[in-house]
Amino acid sequence: NIDRQRSATSSTGTTNVAPDPYRFLHWAMLFSPLRDDDLAADAWETLQLPGDFSAIATDFNRCFVLDYPAPKASPIFSALLQREAGACREEWMRIAAHLDMARTGPSLPPDHLALACEIIAHAITRNEQVLLQGILERYVMPWIRAAQDACEDPLMQDLLQHFQHDADQLREAQHAA
C-alpha cells in the first residue's frame, strides 16, 4: 500500500501530516449510487476496511446507498440531518463553485455524502482550512452520529468508525495547522 499522506514542516519546526485526499475520493466512490459493486469493492480494499465487500454489498447498499423507501442512513444530508433541502443544497453548490468544481455527466444531489467526500478531497488539495473545518462541523460529524444511530448492524458500525477516524484525522490536522 502506498502512503499518500504529505508532511509539511511549519515555521515552528513541527511536522504536520496532511490528510490524504485520495482516501476521501475512495469514500466518495464507496457511498456513491453511481458506481458498480466492483468499484465499491476496490474502494473498500483501498480504504483497508475489514472483510470482503462482496459479502456485505447488499447490506451496505441498503444501509447507505439505495433501499426502498430510503436507506437507513440516508447519504443525503438534508434528509438524515433533517435540514431544509433547498438551503442545504444551495450551500453545497456554493462550496463546489468556490472550489471551481463543475458538474458534468451523471450527477448526485448537491448535498449527497459522496459528493461531499469529493469536495473534501478538493478542499484538502487546495488547503482550504476554514472550509474544511466548516464542512466537518456542520455536516460530516453530525452525519456520522446520525448514521451510527440509524444503523444497528455491527459491520456498518465498524465502517462508520473507520469513516469517523478519517474525519477525526482531518479535523486534528486542521487544529494543528
Side-chain angles (χ1 to χ4, degrees):
N1 290 331
I2 299 172
D3 183 1
R4 294 187 183 114
Q5 288 189 330
R6 305 172 316 254
S7 63
T9 304
S10 71
S11 60
T12 62
T14 59
T15 301
N16 298 331
V17 176
D20 178 8
Y22 293 103
R23 284 196 65 79
F24 285 93
L25 289 176
H26 284 98
W27 283 113
M29 208 178 333
L30 189 61
F31 286 116
S32 176
L34 302 178
R35 53 89 178 141
D36 61 22
D37 282 349
D38 289 338
L39 282 176
D42 288 344
W44 188 274
E45 184 177 329
T46 301
L47 291 166
Q48 298 177 332
L49 298 173
D52 179 20
F53 180 78
S54 61
I56 58 94
T58 300
D59 292 338
F60 174 84
N61 288 330
R62 282 187 174 155
C63 191
F64 300 110
V65 182
L66 295 169
D67 198 13
Y68 183 79
K72 291 178 181 122
S74 175
I76 308 293
F77 288 121
S78 57
L80 190 62
L81 301 179
Q82 299 181 348
R83 297 190 181 159
E84 199 279 316
C88 191
R89 290 180 178 148
E90 186 177 319
E91 183 172 16
W92 281 101
M93 290 181 350
R94 282 194 311 271
I95 292 169
H98 171 75
L99 294 171
D100 299 320
M101 294 175 68
R103 295 170 71 130
T104 58
S107 188
L108 297 170
D111 65 333
H112 194 285
L113 177 63
L115 185 56
C117 289
E118 187 176 339
I119 286 172
I120 289 169
H122 285 279
I124 290 169
T125 63
R126 290 188 39 174
N127 200 29
E128 292 277 355
Q129 305 289 329
V130 173
L131 182 61
L132 286 165
Q133 180 181 350
I135 289 170
L136 290 170
E137 288 176 7
R138 288 182 45 79
Y139 291 100
V140 175
M141 300 313 280
W143 183 90
I144 291 170
R145 286 189 297 274
Q148 288 169 332
D149 290 343
C151 296
E152 296 174 4
D153 184 310
L155 289 172
M156 299 309 117
Q157 288 288 331
D158 193 30
L159 165 99
L160 289 168
Q161 287 177 350
H162 281 85
F163 187 48
Q164 181 171 353
H165 174 75
D166 284 351
D168 285 341
Q169 281 193 319
L170 179 55
R171 191 167 48 177
E172 289 169 14
Q174 300 307 302
H175 292 301

